């Protein structure tokens, strides 16, 4: 049995049936979508059109691991705002901290003491002493990139092929068919040819990384310690140590983007694998659902940057945002880190995710499908390829949009949400073994009909 042997005609028939059910079950969402004439693409942000059911499900309310939509359908939510709600939807300590802040000033151009507590907790977890805040992980990456260009005087940033670090210009590069860097397909309005700003290597390819670093013009490697945006691609033994050794040898700084790999544990993949990056960037989950981003710098970098009088870090030099570090984000981040995404919470989430992954493997093997399951702490993803892909390009080849959409709609019609853009399931502190069992029962039923 291979994925190729799944009948495409049967897949199309089943998908048509499921789409009709979806339209019936979501009349309110359908109407809301039809009434949004003055939104570009009918949605608040164009990516919300990534909806397997042909239109988005509209939110009524969400709490813990559950979402209720405007039609009254209840879902077990494994998308969790793709990581923005890894702490669960509207966690009580965050609601309390944010509510207390709401009546007392939201945008004042003054720091609050919450930021120092959040910074200290991030320092403890990720091992980097000096933190600064943004509103998105994208901005954290952008500002980190600027700082490292300034410190090194080098122009290029190196990323892994098929990475995602937000809408960062430098990151929209892939390894092309000829083995050289090329613009990522669909790249919107690139300011310059991306090969002028960036270099690229495949994940798990130290020889390819060294070849690019040897040009001597790379200010920083920006990477996820495991790729999480093209399925989950885990590092092979020795790879991350090799990256650190090579970046040191070639005078290149190393940024770990922990926005998603934070799922590995309380100190993300950095603590889990004992990594020593110069900079960590993060966002999403640390705000418990409230917008925030952050970057942490090594003592060496913080010292060097503080001594650079030629850099305008205070006003218009290109690093900063008016609402960055605002009181609401800081209250939410402090509460999330101190009271919600604790060591104990991670232990439970990872136990639940392990059960999710083990059950998934059993079902997939039961149907003899050549698919693979990867887990990083509280995050689990399956790919239509086996063995598990070793890099982004291999993983991209394993994509199957029709199959993915079918599974997403089938699950949604029976009250389970997976992450759009992925076959990803994330666990929050409130995700239960019963939630996992519910997913598996429906997933099994979908495969029984399909295979
Ligand atoms: N880094 C990584 C690894 C991400 O996965 C994402 C978003 N998926 C970002 C950065 C950007 O986050 P944001 O959209 O909050 O800017």
């Amino acid at each position: 049995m291979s994925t190729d042997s799944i009948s495409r005609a049967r897949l199309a028939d089943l998908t048509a049936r499921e789409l009709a059910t979806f339209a019936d079950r979501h009349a309110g969402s359908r109407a809301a979508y039809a009434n949004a004439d003055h939104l570009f693409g009918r949605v608040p942000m164009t990516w919300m059109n990534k909806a397997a059911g042909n239109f988005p499900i509209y939110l009524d309310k969400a709490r813990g691991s559950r979402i209720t939509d405007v039609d009254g359908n209840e879902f077990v939510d494994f998308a969790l705002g793709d990581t923005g709600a890894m702490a669960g939807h509207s966690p009580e300590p965050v609601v309390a901290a944010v509510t207390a802040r709401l009546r007392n000033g939201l945008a004042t151009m003054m720091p609050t003491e919450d930021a120092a507590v959040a910074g200290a907790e991030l320092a403890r977890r990720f091992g980097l002493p000096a933190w600064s805040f943004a509103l998105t992980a994208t901005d954290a990456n952008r500002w980190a990139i600027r700082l490292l260009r300034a410190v090194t005087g080098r122009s290029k940033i190196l990323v892994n092929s098929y990475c995602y670090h937000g809408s960062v210009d430098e990151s929209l590069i892939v390894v092309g068919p000829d083995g050289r860097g090329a613009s990522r397909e669909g790249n919107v309005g690139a300011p310059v040819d991306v090969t002028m700003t960036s270099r690229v290597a495949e994940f798990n390819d130290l020889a390819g990384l060294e070849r690019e670093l040897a040009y001597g013009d790379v200010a920083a490697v920006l990477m996820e310690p495991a790729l999480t945006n093209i399925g989950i691609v885990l590092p092979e033994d020795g790879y991350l140590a090799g990256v650190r050794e090579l970046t040191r040898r070639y005078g290149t700084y190393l940024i770990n983007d922990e926005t998603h790999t934070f799922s590995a544990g309380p100190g993300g993949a950095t603590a889990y694998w004992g990594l020593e990056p110069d900079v960590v960037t993060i966002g999403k989950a640390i705000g418990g659902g409230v917008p925030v981003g952050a970057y942490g710098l090594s003592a060496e970098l913080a010292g060097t940057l503080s001594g650079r009088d030629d850099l305008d870090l205070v006003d218009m030099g290109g690093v900063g945002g008016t609402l960055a570090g605002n009181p609401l984000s800081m209250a939410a981040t402090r509460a999330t880190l101190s009271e919600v995404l604790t060591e104990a919470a991670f232990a439970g989430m990872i136990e639940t995710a392990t059960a999710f992954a083990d059950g998934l493997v059993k079902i997939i093997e039961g149907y003899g499908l050549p698919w693979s399951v990867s887990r990083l702490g509280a995050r689990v993803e399956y790919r239509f390829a086996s063995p598990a892909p070793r890099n982004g390009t291999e993983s991209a080849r394993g994509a199957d949009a029709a199959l993915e959409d079918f599974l997403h709609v089938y699950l949604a019609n029976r009250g389970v949400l997976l992450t759009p853009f992925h076959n990803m399931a994330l666990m929050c502190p409130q995700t239960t073994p019963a939630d996992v069992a519910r997913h598996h029962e429906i997933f099994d039923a979908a495969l029984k009909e399909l295979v």
Side-chain angles (χ1 to χ4, degrees):
M1 177 67 62
S2 82
T3 302
D4 290 345
S5 71
I6 287 174
S7 156
R8 291 286 140 173
R10 176 137 190 84
L11 178 61
D13 287 349
L14 287 171
T15 302
R17 184 193 76 193
E18 292 299 320
L19 284 174
T21 306
F22 185 89
D24 283 349
R25 281 171 56 87
H26 297 98
S29 287
R30 197 153 33 104
Y33 190 60
N35 286 336
D37 287 343
H38 294 287
L39 295 178
F40 177 46
R42 302 197 160 274
V43 281
M45 175 64 231
T46 47
W47 64 254
M48 291 182 187
N49 274 321
K50 176 73 181 167
N54 291 336
F55 56 88
I57 297 170
Y58 280 64
L59 170 69
D60 178 22
K61 50 182 183 269
R63 207 68 204 259
S65 67
R66 292 289 196 284
I67 286 184
T68 307
D69 72 9
V70 293
D71 291 291
N73 298 305
E74 199 190 77
F75 300 91
V76 175
D77 183 24
F78 289 104
L80 294 173
D82 190 354
T83 315
M86 191 169 80
H89 293 292
S90 296
E92 200 49 61
V94 175
V95 172
V98 165
T99 306
R101 174 43 60 195
L102 275 176
R103 294 187 188 285
N104 292 301
L106 301 174
T108 57
M109 301 187 93
M110 291 178 190
T112 54
E113 290 173 312
D114 288 335
V117 178
E121 183 59 13
L122 289 166
R124 186 183 73 78
R125 291 179 182 221
F126 291 94
L128 292 168
W131 287 80
S132 192
F133 291 96
L135 284 177
T136 64
T138 297
D139 269 348
N141 282 325
R142 284 196 183 119
W143 301 343
I145 284 172
R146 276 186 171 266
L147 294 174
L148 296 179
R149 280 203 174 109
V151 167
T152 59
R154 295 179 175 187
S155 64
K156 291 203 167 78
I157 302 301
L158 186 142
V159 297
N160 291 127
S161 199
Y162 288 94
C163 66
Y164 187 71
H165 297 286
S167 50
V168 173
D169 291 322
E170 287 84 348
S171 66
L172 295 170
I173 187 169
V174 292
V175 175
D178 60 358
R180 306 169 65 129
S183 182
R184 186 153 178 171
E185 198 186 339
N187 185 353
V188 180
V192 293
D193 185 325
V194 71
T195 57
M196 290 181 66
T197 63
S198 308
R199 294 190 176 278
V200 62
E202 293 288 3
F203 195 79
N204 279 324
D205 177 10
L206 290 172
L209 175 64
E210 178 159 22
R211 191 174 59 235
E212 297 298 318
L213 293 182
Y215 286 97
D217 57 3
V218 177
V221 169
L222 168 62
M223 68 182 290
E224 292 187 283
L227 296 181
T228 67
N229 284 293
I230 187 81
I232 294 172
V233 181
L234 295 169
E236 294 177 342
D237 282 352
Y239 171 65
L240 296 174
V243 170
R244 185 63 278 196
E245 197 276 311
L246 286 173
T247 46
R248 287 202 172 116
R249 193 187 320 157
Y250 288 96
T252 297
Y253 285 102
L254 177 60
I255 309 172
N256 277 1
D257 182 340
E258 289 272 19
T259 306
H260 279 180
T261 51
F262 186 30
S263 66
T270 296
Y272 183 68
W273 283 314
L275 308 177
E276 295 176 359
D278 303 293
V279 178
V280 161
T281 55
I282 193 164
K284 301 207 213 186
I286 59 167
V290 174
V292 68
Y295 59 88
L297 304 172
S298 67
E300 181 251 329
L301 271 172
T304 302
L305 284 160
S306 303
R308 284 281 299 268
D309 295 338
D310 60 318
L311 302 177
D312 178 0
L313 293 174
V314 172
D315 194 1
M316 305 222 185
V319 175
T322 311
L323 295 179
N326 72 80
L328 200 63
S329 296
M330 295 300 91
T333 303
R334 176 184 182 164
T336 305
L337 293 174
S338 314
E339 299 176 67
V340 189
L341 289 178
T342 58
E343 323 245 321
F346 268 102
M349 290 151 67
I350 290 169
E351 194 181 322
T352 313
T354 304
F356 193 106
D358 291 349
L360 210 52
V361 167
K362 249 187 223 139
I363 295 168
I364 290 169
E365 282 179 0
Y367 289 97
L369 289 163
W371 300 354
S372 51
V373 176
S374 299
R375 182 179 66 81
L376 182 67
R379 173 186 301 272
V380 181
E381 180 142 0
Y382 57 92
R383 216 62 199 154
F384 306 122
S386 180
R390 295 180 52 243
N391 61 44
T393 301
E394 277 181 28
S395 196
R397 265 189 232 122
D400 187 328
L403 191 51
E404 185 171 308
D405 282 352
F406 164 70
L407 289 166
H408 281 242
V409 180
Y410 195 99
L411 285 158
N413 283 342
R414 291 154 184 84
V416 171
L417 295 177
L418 280 191
T419 306
F421 305 95
H422 298 260
N423 299 312
M424 197 275 282
L426 187 63
M427 314 296 137
C428 70
Q430 296 94 336
T431 310
T432 63
D435 294 340
V436 172
R438 182 152 159 208
H439 168 275
H440 287 1
E441 196 180 306
I442 300 166
F443 181 70
D444 184 60
L447 294 187
K448 193 169 284 167
E449 288 209 64
L450 186 63
V451 177

